[in-house]
Amino acid sequence: MACCSSRRRSAGRGASSVADQTAIETAEAPRAPTANEALLAAVLGAIPEGAVLGSQVARGAEVEIRVRREALHAVLQMLRDDPRFAFQQCMDICGVDWPGRPERFEVVYNLLSMTHNHRIRVITTTDEATPVPTVVDLWPSATWFEREAWDMYGIVFEGQTDLRRILTDYGFEGHPLRKDFPLTGFVEVRYDPERQAVVYEPVKLTQDFRNFDFLSPWEGMTTLPGDEKVHLNRIGRE
């Protein structure tokens, strides 16, 4: 018995259903920007032209802009005062050393907005002698961070009236986080019982302390501490 179907068969692989058509339209539609991408676009639109050297959303989650040193203070003040951004807190200021670059230091500012719950990283560059404008007038807590950057890297902050060492000793020479600074340093500090005073001396690395025995202390041991009873019981049974 022959039968006839009234269902039409599709001649090709085109959109043969509502679901297929929706998938095609979704693929063709532009992707909506993420919250971080929208924040970066708004910040770039508010900063005067020529102040920004580069920008990105690093690792997909970290808004980052690089600004000229001369425009740094104005950009940071705008990020703090503009209600669209409201970066009320400077969470950290740190340095990064690239000895091979003409301006070897990157000065990194990490800002937080408690109002909008977003963050931004602002980076500028400098060398060993050119000062970076202080931001202590914007965030008084920056004094601690700027002193630390000066102590560790030797980065100078113009307008900072309390630029003293904060982590190293007051008699320390040099800046220990520079990549050309030796890991052992130049001077060691110890207490001399004969003088009954703290003395500073050139670093001396005694050769005996450079030789290490990397063998396991358990190698060659047939009886571990606590196993004596086990061996005695075994001998008794034999």
Side-chain angles (χ1 to χ4, degrees), residues 217-218 221-228 231:
W218 304 109
M221 297 183 65
T222 58
T223 301
L224 298 178
D227 289 348
E228 297 85 357
H231 289 283

CSV table of all heavy atoms in Angstrom, one decimal, residues 217-218 221-228 231:
chain,number,residue,atom,x,y,z
A,217,PRO,N,67.8,13.0,55.4
A,217,PRO,CA,68.3,12.5,56.7
A,217,PRO,C,67.8,11.1,57.0
A,217,PRO,O,68.3,10.5,57.9
A,217,PRO,CB,67.8,13.5,57.7
A,217,PRO,CG,66.6,14.1,57.1
A,217,PRO,CD,66.9,14.2,55.6
A,218,TRP,N,66.8,10.6,56.3
A,218,TRP,CA,66.2,9.3,56.5
A,218,TRP,C,66.9,8.2,55.7
A,218,TRP,O,66.7,7.1,56.0
A,218,TRP,CB,64.7,9.3,56.2
A,218,TRP,CG,64.0,10.4,56.9
A,218,TRP,CD1,63.4,11.5,56.4
A,218,TRP,CD2,63.7,10.4,58.3
A,218,TRP,NE1,62.9,12.3,57.3
A,218,TRP,CE2,63.0,11.6,58.6
A,218,TRP,CE3,64.0,9.6,59.4
A,218,TRP,CZ2,62.6,12.0,59.8
A,218,TRP,CZ3,63.6,10.0,60.7
A,218,TRP,CH2,62.9,11.2,60.9
A,221,MET,N,68.9,4.8,57.1
A,221,MET,CA,68.4,4.4,58.4
A,221,MET,C,67.5,3.1,58.3
A,221,MET,O,66.6,3.1,57.5
A,221,MET,CB,67.6,5.5,59.1
A,221,MET,CG,68.4,6.8,59.3
A,221,MET,SD,67.5,8.0,60.2
A,221,MET,CE,67.1,7.2,61.7
A,222,THR,N,67.8,2.1,59.1
A,222,THR,CA,67.0,0.9,59.0
A,222,THR,C,65.9,0.9,60.1
A,222,THR,O,65.0,0.1,60.0
A,222,THR,CB,67.9,-0.3,59.2
A,222,THR,OG1,68.6,-0.2,60.5
A,222,THR,CG2,69.0,-0.4,58.1
A,223,THR,N,66.1,1.7,61.1
A,223,THR,CA,65.1,1.7,62.2
A,223,THR,C,64.8,3.2,62.5
A,223,THR,O,65.6,4.0,62.8
A,223,THR,CB,65.7,1.1,63.5
A,223,THR,OG1,66.0,-0.3,63.2
A,223,THR,CG2,64.6,1.2,64.6
A,224,LEU,N,63.5,3.5,62.3
A,224,LEU,CA,63.1,4.8,62.5
A,224,LEU,C,62.7,5.0,64.0
A,224,LEU,O,62.3,4.0,64.6
A,224,LEU,CB,61.9,5.2,61.6
A,224,LEU,CG,62.2,5.1,60.1
A,224,LEU,CD1,60.9,5.4,59.3
A,224,LEU,CD2,63.2,6.1,59.7
A,225,PRO,N,62.8,6.2,64.5
A,225,PRO,CA,62.4,6.4,65.9
A,225,PRO,C,60.9,5.9,66.1
A,225,PRO,O,60.0,6.2,65.4
A,225,PRO,CB,62.5,7.9,66.1
A,225,PRO,CG,63.5,8.3,65.1
A,225,PRO,CD,63.3,7.4,63.9
A,226,GLY,N,60.7,5.1,67.1
A,226,GLY,CA,59.4,4.5,67.5
A,226,GLY,C,59.2,3.1,67.0
A,226,GLY,O,58.2,2.5,67.3
A,227,ASP,N,60.1,2.6,66.1
A,227,ASP,CA,60.0,1.3,65.6
A,227,ASP,C,60.7,0.2,66.4
A,227,ASP,O,60.8,-1.0,66.0
A,227,ASP,CB,60.5,1.2,64.1
A,227,ASP,CG,59.6,2.0,63.2
A,227,ASP,OD1,58.4,2.3,63.6
A,227,ASP,OD2,59.9,2.2,62.0
A,228,GLU,N,61.4,0.6,67.5
A,228,GLU,CA,62.2,-0.4,68.2
A,228,GLU,C,61.3,-1.6,68.7
A,228,GLU,O,61.8,-2.7,68.6
A,228,GLU,CB,62.8,0.3,69.4
A,228,GLU,CG,63.8,1.4,69.1
A,228,GLU,CD,63.1,2.7,68.8
A,228,GLU,OE1,61.9,2.8,68.9
A,228,GLU,OE2,63.8,3.7,68.6
A,231,HIS,N,60.7,-4.2,66.0
A,231,HIS,CA,61.9,-5.1,65.8
A,231,HIS,C,62.1,-6.1,66.9
A,231,HIS,O,62.4,-7.3,66.7
A,231,HIS,CB,63.1,-4.3,65.6
A,231,HIS,CG,63.1,-3.5,64.3
A,231,HIS,ND1,63.4,-4.1,63.1
A,231,HIS,CD2,62.9,-2.2,64.0
A,231,HIS,CE1,63.3,-3.3,62.1
A,231,HIS,NE2,63.0,-2.1,62.6
